[in-house]
């Protein structure tokens, strides 16, 4: 049972890590916490649903959905955030809230306020026995996908020119521009990556909840924000560490808290976050450069 | 505000909501305020109920209005599924002259609206809020319309006992009155009739990770033969998906909030799930006729029994105004409170002798092969129903 709970924790932590990374990658470059990140997930969820309804095979539908998330992120940058470039942190933050609210209303009025069931393939709700405990296929996929995505991102950032430029931009954007690297390309790539991560996280999220609804992006973006702050805003390794930490604490508390205290779980988690920030105000693994305005 | 602008806004309002705001000198007018969720988490419940109410009011208006005398002007404002916003729009509706108030499908916003209508004596009816504490929390103007949680829970418990179920696991969420109390009412009846509660678990609404709770269920030394929960969408799909995904095949029972197209669309995943409804459309029944009429009116079949429940609210009001013989809110309130064996669409509805949560039949349903199949319709024994 302990092994089972560890798997649960790693599986949830992996999803949180993907989400936090999506927020952090944009923040490290532009200094924007994109609260519309959750709506990218919602959009990917609806794209998955639409593809399945249109009769696409499941892998194709997933591919379409993740691409939709990535493209939507780039479009979001073009339409909403590019005109705001150079604006204050507060203006950017408010813009992201506006985009988020707007998309929610569009989903509610354009699609339906009611959650739509997404029929996941039967094999995904299966489980296989391993010794004396059973592992669900869902959590296993969740762990594998998160791990692969994290490794792929790391390789991209370390080995490719754009990746190197992005890491450099996170440290000092002005110098990177002086080196002749176009700012727009770096920023667009950051949004593309964050959209990809949102799309992937959405697939794992939807696989767990079996439905999509207009408001489904709210909880994940909140978790991602908490994870990113605990990890150290703007720090990519920090976001991953924060995501896993949050997932592990949540599952641990849910598993062990006695019934009478269980409703206070979220309060306890957030108190833990405050405690971490008191000890390490810059987060677990602080960003190389502090937040710019 | 300049009066021209106000006039303009009123006209716009009427145009938007499609209300005939023409007042002729012969007919009298009564304003019904509907503070309901058009957006947010309650919208999937409020909107079907409101559609039923509007259909019924349209039909009544064609026959002269409530009691054949008072043409109804229905003012609708969006609460955004927010409790504070519900109070704000309720106040606006009161200021606009509402003599009857309709509130959302949940206890908390309904109570917040009730705090405003209670001192003014305006009869207030929740669309499908079913928490039995709801009416007591407000006062004598507040009426439930849907079968109360403790009544529904008793019906499900009676059924579980009749099936030979012995051990139940209760899954609750403290985040709403409905999700917190309904399974506990079930537990009370179940224990009284010889069953045992072998475990309890909680969840946070809107949070899709049930893995830790499911591992706890799997690890129970005393295995339950039933899981009872009042979780609804989006939590219920997440719970059952992960429960079955973890290889747990224990049956799951719930109540009215999972009788929706979303849950039905989960198909095989929800096979065997028992839930409740306000009625069942047997061939030749009034409800079947209503479903056909509603389909014609709205262009789509009713999604659930919330539509017919909304429809019945207007019938209750019509009867109350007839009895009261006036549009005085206090007289209407007294008339509703005195209703006995009123013939609705789903069966007999009684308020007399209750604390304003109606006595009415509960239909038990079970999902099989992606369809809701009728199990039985019953009115639980009043003595069995646990106190709120």
């Amino acid at each position: 049972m302990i092994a089972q709970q560890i798997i649960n924790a790693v599986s949830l932590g992996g999803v949180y890590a993907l989400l936090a990374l999506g927020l952090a990658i944009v923040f490290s470059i532009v200094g924007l916490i994109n609260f519309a990140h959750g709506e990218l997930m919602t959009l990917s969820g609806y794209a998955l649903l639409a593809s399945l309804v249109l009769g696409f095979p499941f892998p194709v539908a997933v591919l379409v959905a993740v691409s939709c998330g990535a493209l939507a992120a780039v479009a979001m940058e073009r339409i909403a955030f590019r005109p705001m470039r150079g604006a204050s942190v507060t203006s950017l933050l408010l813009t992201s809230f506006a985009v988020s609210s707007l998309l929610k209303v569009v989903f509610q009025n354009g699609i339906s306020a009611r959650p739509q069931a997404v029929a996941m393939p039967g094999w995904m709700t299966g489980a296989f026995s391993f010794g004396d405990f059973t592992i669900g296929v869902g959590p296993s996929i969740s762990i594998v996908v998160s791990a692969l995505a994290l490794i792929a991102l790391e390789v991209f950032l370390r080995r490719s020119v754009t990746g190197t430029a992005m890491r450099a931009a996170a440290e000092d954007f002005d110098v990177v521009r002086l080196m002749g690297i176009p700012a727009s390309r770096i920023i667009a790539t950051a949004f593309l990556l964050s959209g990809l991560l949102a799309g992937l996280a959405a697939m794992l999220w939807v696989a767990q909840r079996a439905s999509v609804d207009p408001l489904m992006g709210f909880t994940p973006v909140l978790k991602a924000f908490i994870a990113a702050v605990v990890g150290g805003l703007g720090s990519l390794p920090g976001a991953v560490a924060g995501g896993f930490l949050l997932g592990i604490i949540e599952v641990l508390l849910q598993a062990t808290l006695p019934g009478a205290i269980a409703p206070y779980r979220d309060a306890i988690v957030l108190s833990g976050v405050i405690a971490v920030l008191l000890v390490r105000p810059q987060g677990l693994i602080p960003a190389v450069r502090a937040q710019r305005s | 505000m300049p009066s021209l602008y106000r006039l303009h806004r009123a006209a716009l309002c009427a145009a938007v909501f499609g209300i005939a705001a023409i007042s002729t000198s012969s007919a009298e007018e009564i304003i019904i305020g509907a503070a309901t969720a058009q957006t947010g988490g309650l919208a999937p419940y409020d909107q079907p109920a409101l559609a039923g109410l509007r259909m019924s009011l349209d039909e009544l208006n064609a026959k002269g209005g409530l009691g054949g005398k008072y043409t109804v002007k229905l003012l609708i404002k969006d609460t955004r599924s927010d409790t504070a916003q519900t109070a704000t729009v309720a106040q606006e509706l009161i200021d606009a002259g509402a003599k009857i108030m309709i509130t959302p499908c949940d206890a908390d916003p309904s109570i917040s609206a009730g705090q405003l209508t209670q001192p003014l004596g305006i009869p207030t009816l929740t669309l499908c809020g079913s928490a039995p504490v709801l009416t007591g929390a407000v006062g004598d103007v507040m009426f439930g319309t849907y079968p109360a949680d403790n009544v529904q829970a008793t019906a499900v418990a009676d059924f579980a006992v009749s099936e030979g179920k012995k051990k139940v696991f209760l899954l609750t969420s403290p985040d709403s009155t409905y999700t917190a109390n309904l399974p506990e009412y079930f537990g009370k009846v179940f224990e009284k009739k010889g069953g045992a509660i072998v475990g309890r678990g909680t969840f946070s609404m809107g949070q899709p990770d049930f893995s830790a709770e499911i591992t706890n269920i799997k690890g129970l030394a005393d295995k339950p033969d039933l899981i009872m929960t009042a979780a609804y969408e989006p939590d219920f799909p997440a719970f059952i998906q992960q429960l079955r995904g973890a290889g747990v095949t224990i049956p799951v029972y719930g109540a009215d909030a999972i009788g929706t197209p979303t849950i039905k669309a989960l198909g095989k995943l929800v096979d065997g799930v028992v839930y409740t409804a306000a009625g069942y459309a047997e061939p030749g029944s009034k409800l079947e006729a209503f479903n056909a009429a509603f389909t014609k009116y709205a262009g789509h079949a009713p999604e659930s029994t919330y539509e017919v429940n909304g429809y019945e609210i207007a019938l209750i009001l019509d009867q109350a105004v007839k009895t009261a013989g006036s549009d005085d809110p206090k007289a209407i309130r007294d008339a509703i409170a005195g209703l006995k064996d009123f013939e609705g669409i789903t069966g007999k509805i009684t308020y007399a002798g209750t604390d304003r949560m109606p006595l009415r039949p509960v239909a038990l349903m079970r999902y099989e092969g992606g369809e809701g199949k009728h199990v039985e319709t019953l009115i639980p024994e009043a003595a069995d129903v646990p106190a709120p």
Side-chain angles (χ1 to χ4, degrees):
Chain A
M1 188 151 138
I2 293 168
Q4 190 92 55
Q5 294 292 19
I6 291 172
I7 290 172
N8 295 339
V10 174
S11 156
L12 183 66
V15 178
Y16 285 167
L18 289 185
L19 285 164
L21 204 51
L23 280 190
I25 213 161
V26 167
F27 183 84
S28 68
I29 309 274
V30 238
L32 156 77
I33 292 287
N34 185 10
F35 275 95
H37 196 71
E39 278 55 53
L40 293 174
M41 291 181 66
T42 315
L43 199 86
S44 297
Y46 279 121
L48 178 73
L49 178 67
S51 311
L52 288 175
V53 168
L54 288 174
F56 291 1
F58 188 70
V60 179
V62 168
L63 207 67
V64 169
V66 174
S67 325
C68 270
L71 292 178
V74 175
M76 197 182 269
E77 192 270 327
R78 268 289 161 86
I79 297 165
F81 297 120
R82 188 169 292 185
M84 300 296 288
R85 196 172 291 169
S88 71
V89 173
T90 324
S91 309
L92 283 171
L93 198 65
L94 287 178
T95 310
S96 83
F97 273 121
V99 172
S100 164
S101 307
L102 194 82
L103 286 175
K104 274 187 200 124
V105 174
V106 168
F107 294 142
Q108 282 190 332
N109 295 345
I111 301 171
S112 168
R114 175 181 290 292
Q116 307 290 317
V118 180
M120 285 316 214
W123 53 265
M124 276 195 80
T125 47
F128 47 89
S129 293
F130 193 74
D132 59 346
F133 61 91
T134 44
I135 309 174
V137 174
S140 316
I141 293 178
S142 191
I143 293 172
V144 172
V145 169
S146 313
L148 287 181
L150 295 180
I151 294 168
L153 184 70
E154 182 66 17
V155 169
F156 171 78
L157 289 177
R158 298 273 159 210
R159 298 290 161 87
S160 72
V161 175
T162 317
T164 311
M166 287 181 70
R167 280 187 296 129
E171 283 186 32
D172 199 326
F173 205 170
D174 293 331
V175 170
V176 172
R177 295 180 73 175
L178 287 174
M179 298 291 175
I181 308 255
S184 293
R185 197 206 297 164
I186 299 286
I187 294 175
T189 312
F191 271 90
L192 184 78
L193 287 176
S194 104
L196 269 177
L197 291 167
L200 278 178
M203 295 305 103
L204 301 176
W205 202 256
V206 170
Q208 270 200 337
R209 69 207 295 280
S211 72
V212 286
D213 65 81
L215 307 180
M216 66 174 263
F218 176 73
T219 308
V221 82
L222 197 67
K223 303 284 182 191
F225 179 59
I226 295 169
V229 169
V230 172
L233 256 184
S235 145
L236 304 190
V240 174
F244 276 106
L245 184 71
L246 187 64
I248 290 166
I249 295 179
E250 280 191 356
V251 169
L252 198 76
L253 288 177
Q254 183 73 37
T256 55
L257 282 182
I261 312 173
Y264 298 101
R265 189 191 66 164
D266 289 346
I268 297 172
V269 171
L270 291 177
S271 310
V273 168
I274 294 173
V276 169
L277 291 179
L278 281 175
V279 182
R280 295 185 71 89
Q282 298 298 324
L284 293 173
I285 308 173
V288 179
R289 241 185 83 159
Q291 174 200 336
R292 294 171 305 274
S293 59
Chain B
M1 193 187 297
S3 61
L4 190 67
Y5 177 58
R6 188 181 294 178
L7 204 68
H8 178 80
R9 203 175 70 157
L12 192 72
C13 238
V16 165
F17 297 120
I19 304 150
I22 315 145
S23 54
T24 54
S25 52
S26 60
E28 291 183 74
E29 190 181 78
I30 184 165
I31 295 177
I32 298 182
T36 58
Q38 280 153 307
T39 50
L42 282 177
Y45 299 92
D46 280 10
Q47 287 310 302
L50 190 61
L53 177 73
R54 286 170 71 161
M55 171 180 168
S56 182
L57 290 176
D58 283 353
E59 288 178 8
L60 287 166
N61 273 348
K63 290 189 279 185
L66 291 187
K69 211 168 144 193
Y70 300 95
T71 311
V72 176
K73 185 174 164 189
L74 181 64
L75 297 182
I76 303 166
K77 281 183 184 280
D78 183 13
T79 64
R80 304 203 301 255
S81 302
D82 180 79
T83 300
Q85 181 67 13
T86 308
T88 310
V89 300
Q91 186 61 54
E92 287 171 12
L93 290 166
I94 293 169
D95 294 344
K99 288 191 172 168
I100 296 165
M101 186 72 75
I102 305 293
T103 62
C105 275
D106 186 30
D108 305 327
S110 293
I111 291 170
S112 83
Q115 303 298 332
L116 301 168
T117 52
Q118 176 68 33
L120 302 170
I122 298 173
T124 306
L125 298 91
T126 162
L127 281 175
C128 52
S130 51
V133 294
L134 162 59
T135 53
V138 174
D140 67 353
V141 302
M142 189 81 220
F143 293 91
T145 61
Y146 206 79
D149 294 345
N150 47 357
V151 177
Q152 292 187 42
T154 308
V156 180
D158 283 349
F159 175 68
V161 169
S162 78
E163 276 187 315
K165 299 269 190 264
K166 296 271 185 282
K167 292 180 283 188
V168 70
F169 180 90
L170 304 179
L171 182 71
T172 58
S173 169
D175 297 348
S176 84
T177 320
Y178 180 78
T179 51
N181 292 352
L182 198 146
E184 294 294 342
Y185 294 133
F186 175 97
K188 273 185 194 157
V189 181
F190 195 67
E191 276 190 321
K192 215 167 87 182
K193 300 203 168 177
I197 300 169
V198 292
R200 281 186 169 83
T202 59
F203 67 97
S204 305
M205 287 170 78
Q207 189 146 310
D209 183 59
F210 284 89
S211 60
E213 210 48 75
I214 288 166
T215 304
N216 282 346
I217 294 175
K218 283 174 79 173
L220 285 174
D222 202 0
K223 296 269 178 260
D225 51 17
L226 176 67
I227 297 171
M228 178 68 193
T229 182
Y232 52 97
E233 55 206 45
D235 307 313
F236 185 82
F239 172 64
I240 195 128
Q241 166 99 0
Q242 291 168 51
L243 186 74
R244 299 297 182 237
V248 181
T249 53
I250 303 168
V252 179
Y253 289 3
D256 65 302
I258 53 170
T260 67
T262 306
I263 309 293
K264 196 165 83 176
L266 293 172
K268 269 201 338 226
L269 199 55
V270 289
D271 266 351
V273 170
V274 169
Y275 64 100
T276 65
Y280 173 69
E282 286 180 60
S285 64
K286 274 185 176 179
L287 184 52
E288 194 192 34
F290 165 81
N291 287 349
F294 182 87
T295 309
K296 217 168 137 195
Y297 173 83
H300 62 86
E303 295 178 342
S304 56
T305 49
Y306 297 125
E307 283 91 346
V308 69
N309 192 63
Y311 187 89
E312 285 175 323
I313 291 176
L315 299 186
I316 291 169
L317 292 174
D318 179 50
Q319 180 61 42
V321 170
K322 238 178 239 163
T323 312
S326 83
D327 63 347
D328 173 47
K330 288 200 172 58
I332 297 175
R333 189 223 77 85
D334 293 345
I336 300 174
L339 272 187
K340 195 168 190 314
D341 289 337
F342 173 70
E343 279 292 345
I345 305 294
T346 53
K348 287 190 167 69
I349 301 169
T350 295
Y351 282 104
T354 69
D355 48 2
R356 300 175 305 286
M357 286 306 286
L359 278 179
R360 52 181 300 170
V362 180
L364 285 172
M365 310 285 289
R366 188 202 290 270
Y367 286 116
E368 269 164 40
E371 286 301 321
K373 299 270 165 62
H374 184 232
V375 181
E376 59 178 321
T377 299
L378 71 165
I379 303 181
E381 292 291 327
D384 288 344
V385 178

